[in-house]
């Protein structure tokens, strides 16, 4: 068996909204078949509920505070990877992989090629007004990938193909995706409800279905070329869906993501389910481990490849961490999550949506009645999976809270989080004060 090819597919703002993750209103037959052939991770979490810091951590194996991407790359936020940081594309290229980017990435400005030798769709599509990225539909992207796979079927050198699908970011219909409420719409207490919101969610479901068809095209071509046997395929989303208490928030609705993997020749197959708690910074070291490549010493993620090699292996980690820095939303928060409890510490004064028992009346996600965001939030995930009953000051949970506080503080020190020294200085603040001198 030669060096495995690697295909890494990402989507926006989707959380774990797939049929195989027990979301019955979604039509995702290709993702569901992928899970049945490979491995589904039932407790996969991202490091941040916003795009750039989550993707940066995923693609460097290092936390946002360490790699420099604490918030969005686009203006006016302008965060950048620190000098010397290595993207997965850099690492694989250095080991002889042909590295190709299809559609978009959100870890660096569009004019930065990272470690990609080729970007077939760089001159296609349209410019996103906010990010400046060129965006191509999922179906067009899949067509370009299938052409690439046809080209690769008779070559021996391994390839790394990173495929960034803009679906399922709002607006959900920009690529021609049609709303889908054929199985109803999913409404939970952390979401909104009402006629207009049903339309919003059916639009999201339609975009997911459209993405499913495109991913199905890629998987079908992999099989027909025979490349599927020795290709590691990864699919994940950057963070949760854009609904209240999801994207932009450190609740599980914002941090929990789908994570699917398949590699038949490497034993990642058979419809297995991994219940280990994993962080998306663990994906990079896992891929390097599976490919028998060295993992850089500064990588902070932990390989979970042992799950596929030893049925008696212990979980690579017992806790995951999250961070949220969003000056535009007045949010500065950090979290630690065990299998049983979640602790969130909020460092800036702000308001948050009230978590109603019967859902939000507003049709616009993120709006509705507000309440003061407490300094400390803690939730019993076993009895309160929606994270509605804050135990942050409950004296009965003092010991649990202190243990989680200790873990969180150690992490903040390990990653040298600037929040420990005061309010975070942003690139915009640095630009604003760069030439501010007393005359």
């Amino acid at each position: 068996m030669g060096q495995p090819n690697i295909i890494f597919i990402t989507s926006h703002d989707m959380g774990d909204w797939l049929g195989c993750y027990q979301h019955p209103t979604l039509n995702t037959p290709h993702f569901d078949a992928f899970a049945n052939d490979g491995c589904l991770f039932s407790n996969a979490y991202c490091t941040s509920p916003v795009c750039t810091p989550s993707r940066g951590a995923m693609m460097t194996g290092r936390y946002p505070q360490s790699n420099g991407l604490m918030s969005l790359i686009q203006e006016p936020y302008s965060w950048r990877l620190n000098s010397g940081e290595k993207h997965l594309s850099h690492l694989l290229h250095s080991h002889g992989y042909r590295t190709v980017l299809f559609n978009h990435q959100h870890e660096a400005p569009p004019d930065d090629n990272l470690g990609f030798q080729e970007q077939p769709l760089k001159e296609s599509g349209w410019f996103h007004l906010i990010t400046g990225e060129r965006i191509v539909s999922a179906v067009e992207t899949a067509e370009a990938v299938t052409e690439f796979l046809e080209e690769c079927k008779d070559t021996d050198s391994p390839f790394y193909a990173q495929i960034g699908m803009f679906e399922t970011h709002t607006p959900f219909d920009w690529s021609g995706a049609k709303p889908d409420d054929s199985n109803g719409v999913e409404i939970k207490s952390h979401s909104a409800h009402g006629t207009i919101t049903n339309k919003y969610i059916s639009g999201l479901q339609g975009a997911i279905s459209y993405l499913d068809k495109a991913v199905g095209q890629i998987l079908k071509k992999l099989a027909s070329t025979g490349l599927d046997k020795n290709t590691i395929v990864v699919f994940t989303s950057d963070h949760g869906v854009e609904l209240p208490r999801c994207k932009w928030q450190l609740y599980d609705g914002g941090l929990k993501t789908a994570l699917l993997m398949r590699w038949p020749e490497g034993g990642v197959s058979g419809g297995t389910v991994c219940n280990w708690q994993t962080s998306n910074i663990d994906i990079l070291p896992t891929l390097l481990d599976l490919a028998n490549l060295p993992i850089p010493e500064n990588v902070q993620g932990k390989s979970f490849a042992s799950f596929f090699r030893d049925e008696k292996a212990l979980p690579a980690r017992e806790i995951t961490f999250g961070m949220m820095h969003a000056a535009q939303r007045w949010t500065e928060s950090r979290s630690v999550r065990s299998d049983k409890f979640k602790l969130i510490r909020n460092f800036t004064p702000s308001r948050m949506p009230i978590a109603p028992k019967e859902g939000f009346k507003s049709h616009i996600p993120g709006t509705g009645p507000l309440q003061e965001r407490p300094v400390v939030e803690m939730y019993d995930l076993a009895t309160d999976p929606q994270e509605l009953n804050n135990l942050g000051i409950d004296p009965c949970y003092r010991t649990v809270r202190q243990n989680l506080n200790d873990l969180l503080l150690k992490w903040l020190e390990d990653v040298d989080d600037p929040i420990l020294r005061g309010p975070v200085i942003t690139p915009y603040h640095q630009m604003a004060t760069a030439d501010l001198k007393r005359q």
Side-chain angles (χ1 to χ4, degrees):
M1 180 174 65
Q3 203 71 13
N5 305 307
I6 299 173
I7 292 179
F8 201 144
I9 308 172
T10 61
S11 69
H12 276 283
D13 300 12
M14 205 173 89
D16 67 352
W17 279 45
L18 295 174
C20 53
Y21 277 90
Q22 309 306 310
H23 294 275
T25 65
L26 295 170
N27 288 304
T28 55
H30 299 103
F31 279 119
D32 300 347
F34 181 8
N36 288 333
D37 290 340
C39 180
L40 180 150
F41 292 80
S42 63
N43 282 295
Y45 300 90
C46 62
T47 52
S48 180
V50 67
C51 183
T52 295
S54 176
R55 290 170 181 266
M58 186 192 311
M59 295 301 180
T60 65
R62 287 166 50 74
Y63 287 107
Q65 302 97 314
S66 298
N67 66 34
L69 292 179
M70 290 186 62
S71 191
L72 300 171
I73 58 170
Q74 61 262 28
E75 296 177 352
Y77 315 111
S78 304
W79 289 85
R80 296 289 183 268
L81 284 168
N82 292 330
S83 176
E85 291 292 329
K86 298 296 184 183
H87 189 276
L88 180 58
S89 57
H90 292 125
L91 297 173
L92 292 175
H93 177 52
S94 71
H95 290 288
Y97 275 73
R98 177 184 178 186
T99 54
V100 187
L101 173 66
F102 290 92
N103 204 348
H104 77 104
Q105 51 81 19
H106 207 178
E107 301 96 74
D111 58 353
D112 187 337
N113 67 1
L114 290 170
F116 293 103
Q117 298 166 286
E118 304 166 50
Q119 298 185 47
L121 297 172
K122 191 169 186 178
E123 303 304 322
S124 304
W126 55 280
F127 283 107
H128 190 276
L129 294 177
I130 297 176
T131 67
E133 299 168 288
R134 283 188 182 270
I135 303 301
V136 183
S137 75
V139 168
E140 292 173 290
T141 302
E143 290 171 353
V145 175
T146 59
E147 292 176 7
F148 169 77
L149 294 176
E150 181 67 26
E151 174 191 337
C152 291
K153 68 178 182 179
D154 297 320
T155 61
D156 295 328
S157 59
F159 65 79
Y160 169 60
Q162 183 173 314
I163 305 167
M165 302 295 201
F166 190 70
E167 294 82 4
T168 47
H169 198 290
T170 56
F172 303 128
D173 62 351
W174 71 270
S175 60
K178 304 298 183 183
D180 181 8
D181 60 0
S182 58
N183 294 330
V185 295
E186 179 169 330
I187 302 295
K188 289 185 177 181
S189 59
H190 64 254
S191 303
H193 72 216
T195 303
I196 299 179
T197 299
N198 287 358
K199 181 178 179 181
Y200 179 91
I201 296 178
S202 68
L204 168 63
Q205 294 184 167
I208 294 171
S209 179
Y210 183 86
L211 174 65
D212 178 80
K213 293 175 183 177
V215 172
Q217 286 180 252
I218 296 171
L219 297 177
K220 181 179 179 181
K221 188 64 176 182
L222 265 178
S224 68
T225 57
L227 291 168
D228 58 327
K229 300 294 189 294
N230 196 31
T231 297
I232 303 172
V233 183
V234 180
F235 171 79
T236 191
S237 182
D238 51 7
H239 50 70
V241 295
E242 187 146 6
L243 287 169
R245 296 174 65 82
C246 294
K247 182 179 179 180
W248 308 103
Q249 309 291 331
L250 294 179
Y251 307 114
D252 277 5
L255 296 178
K256 193 171 190 294
T257 66
L259 176 58
L260 306 175
M261 294 182 66
R262 189 187 70 186
W263 180 27
E265 287 191 1
V268 186
S269 60
T272 55
V273 176
C274 178
N275 295 316
W276 293 0
Q277 188 173 191
T278 63
S279 171
N280 65 356
I281 64 165
D282 300 332
I283 299 175
L284 179 146
T286 299
L287 290 174
L288 295 177
D289 192 355
L290 289 172
N292 198 28
L293 297 174
I295 300 171
E297 291 184 1
N298 68 345
V299 164
Q300 295 163 323
K302 300 179 179 181
S303 171
F304 49 78
S306 60
F307 175 81
F308 307 114
R309 296 168 175 159
D310 181 359
E311 63 182 17
K312 297 181 180 180
L314 297 176
R317 63 167 66 247
E318 296 181 351
I319 53 176
T320 54
F321 299 99
M323 63 83 62
M324 181 63 199
H325 167 78
Q328 73 273 35
R329 290 177 181 258
W330 307 283
T331 303
E332 191 76 68
S333 305
R334 307 291 186 268
S335 67
V336 57
R337 186 191 195 282
S338 69
D339 286 338
K340 296 180 179 180
F341 292 94
K342 163 87 68 66
L343 177 78
I344 303 173
R345 294 196 72 93
N346 301 302
F347 294 89
T348 53
S350 63
R351 293 184 178 275
M352 59 187 283
I354 293 174
K357 294 181 179 179
E358 298 181 356
F360 288 91
K361 301 297 183 181
S362 170
H363 66 274
I364 304 174
T367 66
L370 299 175
Q371 63 183 347
E372 179 183 354
R373 190 181 299 275
V375 171
V376 181
E377 301 174 64
M378 193 177 81
Y379 301 97
D380 183 332
L381 300 173
T383 63
D384 180 27
Q386 297 290 331
E387 298 165 277
L388 304 177
N389 181 29
N390 182 18
L391 306 174
I393 59 173
D394 190 325
C396 296
Y397 291 85
R398 183 180 294 108
T399 300
V400 174
R401 190 164 53 248
Q402 187 57 55
N403 289 338
L404 291 174
N405 263 319
D406 291 344
L407 291 169
L408 183 62
L409 177 59
K410 184 180 185 306
W411 175 64
L412 295 177
E413 292 172 340
D414 288 346
V415 299
D416 192 25
D417 196 315
I419 197 63
L420 293 176
R421 298 184 288 277
V424 175
I425 302 299
T426 66
Y428 192 90
H429 181 276
Q430 292 174 331
M431 289 186 287
T433 57
D435 59 354
L436 183 63
K437 300 177 181 179
R438 186 178 298 279
Q439 300 299 319

